[in-house]
């Protein structure tokens, strides 16, 4: 149930995300230059690449945390990066994000964390908000932990609570920044299943920054690979197809690291 | 006799055959132990066109051996002598190859700027800083203007919590400091007034000083150190943990969520704390007046009442509210500007206190000029 049904019908043909000539960086230093890609609605789209290639910078630029130096981002067919603040805030209702550190608000309980976006963006009653918060937490296996504070739960639970919060408004697009970082293999696998469930159940578009090959091959419909020296995209496509067809050694090296470790590929 | 254990040291032996020099390293090479220097061998060498390095009986080695070998290689390079290291163990050989050319570049690149550049950068930073302060004040004003339309979404619980933290929890320290300030003022005045037989005017001096100046000022400085620093640390930490980013991505304004409840809490608590600080300061003066000048508390109180009117009280409370808002603005602003690291949070905290005190003093001076001009 991404966004409202009527809104979805209007946006049926629009790309979930469209990046046009995007350049981004920090303090005058250019990290990404002339990035062009589009993400189709409902697909699991991965941004991959080695450390320091600008994956997180690109993600932060897509969600509006970094202002692009050049180019623009459209979300669900509407200008996002160039829109004014109130319009951008309104568009953010279609977006959820799971941060690498989970970024749960430490002064609020898990229930309050999930409830906050609902309080801010909806006119639901207190009771309805509470019910939705409980439902979202239960959906991610956190039933019974609603009144715990983030400091009182494990890293894996924090990730799931962060995901519950990202899904609070039933967004059309969910962004993930290194969702598997710091998780053990079993918790990672569980999180994989939960991410897959969300995509299949609600048709949510997933944009995931990662270098976890196992998850890339398991979940990704399409990937773009960034390179530090090229400051841009060096490969785009389905990871399985790329693995077979690419002639670029950088892409081969990256994707083969998984297969050399008895990867299921 | 029991055999004494032999302590192996880093050893070097050299042997010259024709024009070729064979250097053999052995023993234990440890960075913390004394290591041979190539210069003690090289000075006596003449007519060499090849240096061959090998190991024999090498028990253990670390970076000290590599340094020694680099010294030999550098010497060979300077004297244009061929150097062969192929007989070294593979790992040592690889490491040595990787270190090739390490010393060719300058050891440290100077990072300092010249005077003009430093002044330019500092001016630019001051300009950005001023823009940041003005921008933040503007955003906070917009946040306050939005408040009536979003009262239902206002974080009342946070507001009450902040009022408790900055108001109620500050009472002990405000009591102590205000009492001591009243006491000190009274002591200073008592010595002078006694000479003129104007003992009773101690109540006027203490009362007016405390109510118009010292009460709001001392409460503000305590809160700048206590609450302003706490705001900067909390918000800075939230920034380091991406919690502020999470607010932005979910379309929630950090100003509405974090800044406005804190500003309003300080704006309300500061005048109340100042009223309390005034009372305790006057009490401090009363204790000294009774103890040193034998003025009865009732006479002191009547004199205080006659010297202070509502205008004095009002000016003090107006200052207090302004100071409260400035402390809140400084704390929240520095927290939101904080770098995403532990050091950044520390800097933000220090900066919040310094900014708050600076703004308080500037505002106090402006108030003094304004009240003088208005004849208040």
């Amino acid at each position: 149930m991404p966004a409202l049904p009527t809104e979805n019908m209007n946006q049926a043909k629009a790309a979930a995300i469209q990046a046009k000539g995007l350049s981004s960086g920090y303090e005058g230093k250019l990290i990404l230059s002339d990035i062009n890609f589009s993400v189709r609605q409902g697909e699991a789209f991965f941004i991959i690449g080695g450390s320091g290639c600008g994956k997180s910078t690109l993600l932060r630029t897509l969600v509006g945390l970094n202002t692009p130096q050049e180019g623009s981002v459209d979300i669900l067919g509407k200008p996002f990066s160039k829109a004014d603040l109130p319009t951008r805030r309104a568009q953010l209702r279609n977006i959820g994000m799971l941060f690498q550190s989970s970024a749960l608000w430490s002064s609020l309980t898990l229930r309050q964390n999930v409830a906050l976006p609902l309080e801010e963006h909806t006119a639901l009653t207190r009771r309805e908000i509470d019910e939705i918060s409980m439902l979202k937490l239960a959906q991610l296996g956190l039933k019974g932990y609603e009144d715990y504070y983030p400091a009182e739960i494990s890293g894996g639970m924090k990730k799931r609570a962060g995901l519950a919060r990202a899904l609070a408004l039933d967004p059309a697009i969910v962004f993930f920044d290194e969702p598997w970082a710091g998780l053990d293999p079993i918790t990672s696998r569980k999180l994989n299943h939960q991410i897959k469930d969300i995509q299949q159940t609600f048709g949510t578009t997933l944009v995931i920054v990662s270098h976890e090959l196992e998850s890339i091959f398991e979940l990704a419909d399409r990937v773009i690979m960034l390179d530090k020296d090229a400051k841009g995209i060096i490969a785009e496509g389905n990871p399985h197809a790329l693995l077979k067809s690419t002639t670029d050694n950088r892409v081969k090296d990256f994707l083969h690291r998984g297969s050399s470790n008895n990867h299921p590929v | 006799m029991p055999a004494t254990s032999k302590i192996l040291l880093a050893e070097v032996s050299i042997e010259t055959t024709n024009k070729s020099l064979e250097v053999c390293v052995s023993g234990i090479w440890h960075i913390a132990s004394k290591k041979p220097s190539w210069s003690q061998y090289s000075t006596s060498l003449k007519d060499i066109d090849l240096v061959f390095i090998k190991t024999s009986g090498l028990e253990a080695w670390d970076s000290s051996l590599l340094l020694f070998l680099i010294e030999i290689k550098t010497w060979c390079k300077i004297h244009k002598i061929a150097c062969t290291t192929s007989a070294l163990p593979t790992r040592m050989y690889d490491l040595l190859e990787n270190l090739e050319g390490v010393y060719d570049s300058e050891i440290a690149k100077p990072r300092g700027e010249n005077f003009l550049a430093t002044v330019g950068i500092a001016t630019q930073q001051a300009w950005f800083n001023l823009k940041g302060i003005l921008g933040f004040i503007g955003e906070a004003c917009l946040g306050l203007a939005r408040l009536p339309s979003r009262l239902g979404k206002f974080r009342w619980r946070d507001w009450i919590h902040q009022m408790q933290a900055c108001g109620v929890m500050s009472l002990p320290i405000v009591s102590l400091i205000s009492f001591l300030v009243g006491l000190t003022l009274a002591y200073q005045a008592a010595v002078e007034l006694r000479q003129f037989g104007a003992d009773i005017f101690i109540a006027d001096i203490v009362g007016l000083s405390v109510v118009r100046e010292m009460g709001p000022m001392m409460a503000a400085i305590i809160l700048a150190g206590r609450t302003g620093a706490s705001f900067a640390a909390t918000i800075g930490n939230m920034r380091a943990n991406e919690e502020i980013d999470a607010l932005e991505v979910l379309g929630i304004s950090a100003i509405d969520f974090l800044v406005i409840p804190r500003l309003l809490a300080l704006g309300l608590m500061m005048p109340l704390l100042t009223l309390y600080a005034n009372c305790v300061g006057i009490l401090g003066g009363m204790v000294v007046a009774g103890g040193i000048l034998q003025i009865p508390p009732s006479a002191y109180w009547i004199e205080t009442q006659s010297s202070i009117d509502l205008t004095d009280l009002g000016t003090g409370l107006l200052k207090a509210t302004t100071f409260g808002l400035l402390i809140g603005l400084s704390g929240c602003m520095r927290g939101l500007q904080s770098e995403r690291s532990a050091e950044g949070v520390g800097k933000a905290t220090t900066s919040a206190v310094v900014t708050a005190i600076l703004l308080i003093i500037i505002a106090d001076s402006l108030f003094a000029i304004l009240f003088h001009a208005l004849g208040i």
Side-chain angles (χ1 to χ4, degrees):
Chain A
M1 64 194 144
L4 299 169
T6 47
E7 206 174 333
N8 268 358
M9 280 167 68
N10 295 336
Q11 296 158 350
K13 282 178 187 172
I17 300 163
Q18 179 92 46
K20 292 180 267 189
L22 210 58
S23 296
S24 191
Y26 299 99
E27 292 165 5
K29 192 181 164 196
L30 193 68
I31 293 174
L32 296 166
S33 172
D34 196 24
I35 302 280
N36 293 285
F37 66 89
S38 71
V39 181
R40 291 188 277 271
Q41 290 193 36
E43 78 174 338
F45 184 84
F46 274 63
I47 301 168
I48 64 172
S51 298
C53 68
K55 304 186 294 290
S56 294
T57 306
L58 178 58
L59 193 75
R60 291 177 66 84
T61 311
L62 292 178
V63 297
L65 289 173
N66 281 3
T67 311
Q69 292 176 1
E70 276 174 40
S72 63
V73 178
D74 291 357
I75 287 187
L76 296 169
K78 291 178 186 164
F80 175 70
S81 63
K82 289 191 170 169
D84 55 21
L85 191 63
T87 316
R88 217 162 54 226
R89 285 225 169 105
Q91 271 182 292
L92 283 170
R93 288 172 209 178
N94 295 317
I95 287 176
M97 181 162 172
L98 174 59
F99 287 83
Q100 189 171 353
S101 61
S102 306
L104 292 168
W105 298 303
S106 48
S107 59
L108 306 181
T109 62
L110 301 192
R111 186 208 306 256
Q112 290 167 338
N113 261 281
V114 180
L116 186 62
L118 295 163
E119 287 167 9
E120 284 290 324
H121 293 301
T122 66
L124 296 170
T125 61
R126 181 75 255 165
R127 194 183 158 158
E128 286 167 329
I129 288 175
D130 266 350
E131 280 172 359
I132 295 174
S133 309
M134 305 268 277
L135 179 82
K136 293 288 171 189
L137 287 167
Q139 200 182 325
L140 286 147
L142 289 168
K143 191 171 161 54
Y145 292 94
E146 295 89 352
D147 295 319
Y148 279 59
Y149 283 93
E152 298 170 335
I153 57 172
S154 69
M157 289 162 89
K158 277 184 198 167
K159 289 267 167 158
R160 282 185 278 151
L163 186 52
R165 184 182 65 184
L167 297 171
L169 290 163
D170 290 319
I173 309 163
V174 181
F175 293 87
F176 298 78
D177 189 5
E178 306 275 10
W180 300 281
L183 297 185
D184 66 75
I186 297 166
T187 316
S188 292
R189 197 163 281 277
K190 259 189 204 167
L191 188 64
N192 268 7
H193 289 308
Q194 280 161 337
I195 291 173
K196 212 176 201 172
D197 278 350
I198 291 159
Q199 188 202 11
Q200 287 172 353
T201 314
F202 303 122
T204 312
T205 308
L206 310 176
V207 179
I208 306 176
V209 159
S210 180
H211 45 219
E212 284 286 323
L213 285 164
E214 198 173 323
S215 305
I216 293 169
F217 283 109
E218 189 182 337
L219 297 175
D221 294 317
R222 216 150 53 87
V223 301
I224 53 168
M225 184 170 168
L226 303 178
D227 183 72
K228 195 176 179 178
D229 297 325
K231 288 187 168 73
I233 300 170
I234 54 166
E236 184 172 354
N238 179 278
H240 297 276
L242 270 179
L243 188 71
K244 285 176 194 159
S245 64
T246 186
T247 51
D248 189 321
N249 283 335
R250 295 167 296 182
V251 184
K252 251 188 214 171
D253 282 351
F254 187 89
L255 294 176
H256 272 284
R257 263 187 297 155
S259 52
S260 64
N261 292 333
N262 299 324
H263 192 269
V265 179
Chain B
M1 260 179 82
T4 50
S5 60
K6 191 185 170 192
I7 300 169
L8 286 170
L9 295 171
E11 287 172 2
V12 179
S13 60
I14 56 170
E15 195 181 327
T16 316
T17 319
N18 295 329
K19 286 188 169 184
S20 158
L21 175 75
E22 189 178 278
V23 181
C24 181
V25 288
S26 56
I28 295 175
W29 291 71
H30 191 262
I31 196 86
S33 310
K34 197 179 173 195
K35 104 177 154 59
S37 168
W38 177 240
S39 56
Q40 69 192 72
Y41 300 96
S42 60
T43 45
S44 58
L45 297 172
K46 278 175 191 168
D47 294 332
I48 303 287
D49 57 14
L50 176 69
V51 173
F52 179 78
I53 309 172
K54 66 169 193 174
T55 63
S56 170
L58 186 64
E59 296 277 321
W61 60 278
D62 61 12
S63 307
S64 60
L65 178 55
L66 290 173
L67 285 174
F68 180 73
L69 298 178
I70 289 170
E71 206 182 335
I72 300 177
K73 285 186 85 173
T74 312
W75 180 83
C76 291
K77 205 172 174 181
I78 292 166
H79 292 87
K80 293 176 180 154
I81 297 168
C83 181
T84 309
T85 52
S86 53
L88 292 174
T90 320
R91 284 184 184 174
M92 196 187 294
Y93 176 81
D94 289 346
L95 263 172
L96 206 58
E97 287 298 302
N98 285 339
L99 291 169
E100 188 75 38
V102 162
Y103 296 107
D104 291 352
S105 59
E106 283 176 46
I107 301 288
K109 194 181 167 191
R111 300 187 70 159
E113 302 283 353
N114 64 36
F115 176 72
L116 281 177
T118 309
V119 171
I121 290 167
T123 312
Q124 200 180 27
Q125 273 172 353
W127 171 242
F128 286 145
N129 207 5
L130 182 67
K131 261 173 61 175
I133 292 175
L134 293 176
F136 188 77
I137 290 172
E139 277 189 60
C141 289
L142 286 176
L144 282 171
R146 275 197 301 269
L147 188 61
S149 63
R150 42 171 286 125
L151 273 182
K153 289 175 182 171
F154 181 67
R155 312 285 307 166
W156 296 102
R157 244 178 95 180
D158 285 357
W159 181 56
I160 291 167
H161 172 75
Q162 293 301 338
M163 284 202 293
Q164 187 198 5
C166 70
V168 181
M169 308 298 277
S170 302
L171 284 177
I173 185 77
V174 170
S175 308
L176 180 69
I177 304 276
S178 305
F179 184 79
L180 292 178
V181 166
L183 199 106
T184 314
L185 275 174
Y187 258 114
Q188 297 289 336
V191 176
E192 298 300 321
L193 291 173
R194 184 183 275 172
Q195 292 176 28
F196 303 103
D199 298 10
I200 192 65
F201 291 113
I202 192 171
D204 300 55
I205 291 179
V206 172
L208 279 171
S209 310
V210 165
V211 168
R212 287 188 70 108
E213 194 62 48
M214 296 311 284
M217 181 64 93
M218 293 319 292
I221 288 178
I222 294 164
L223 257 68
R226 197 179 174 280
T227 310
S230 151
F231 285 179
T234 309
I235 297 176
N237 218 10
M238 286 181 77
R239 194 167 144 73
N241 292 336
E242 297 182 306
E243 291 176 43
I244 306 286
D245 290 343
L247 283 175
E248 296 291 333
V249 170
L250 285 165
I252 302 167
S253 158
I255 299 283
D256 293 343
F257 184 70
L258 296 170
V259 180
I260 300 298
R262 283 171 168 79
L263 273 186
L264 290 182
L266 264 178
L268 185 68
M269 279 297 114
M270 261 302 288
L272 294 179
L273 275 176
T274 301
L275 272 180
Y276 175 74
N278 290 346
C279 296
V280 179
I282 290 170
L283 186 70
M286 194 184 278
V287 168
V288 173
I292 293 181
L293 303 173
Q294 281 78 47
I295 298 170
S298 54
Y300 185 94
W301 180 238
I302 290 167
E303 184 59 28
T304 304
Q305 277 184 314
S306 69
S307 64
I308 301 169
D309 58 21
L310 272 179
T311 314
D312 299 319
L313 202 63
T315 53
L317 295 184
L318 177 66
K319 276 185 185 184
T321 310
T322 313
F323 295 164
L325 293 175
L326 291 176
I327 296 164
L329 279 172
S330 312
C332 295
M333 181 183 70
R334 294 303 183 205
L336 285 171
Q337 288 173 345
S338 157
E339 286 167 24
R340 295 165 193 273
S341 63
E343 196 195 353
V345 176
K347 275 186 192 170
T349 310
T350 313
S351 177
V353 177
V354 174
T355 310
I357 292 177
L358 183 75
L359 291 177
I360 288 166
I361 304 286
I362 292 173
D364 196 40
S365 312
L366 292 176
F367 272 124
I369 297 166
L370 181 72
F371 293 153
H372 176 75
L374 294 174
I376 300 173

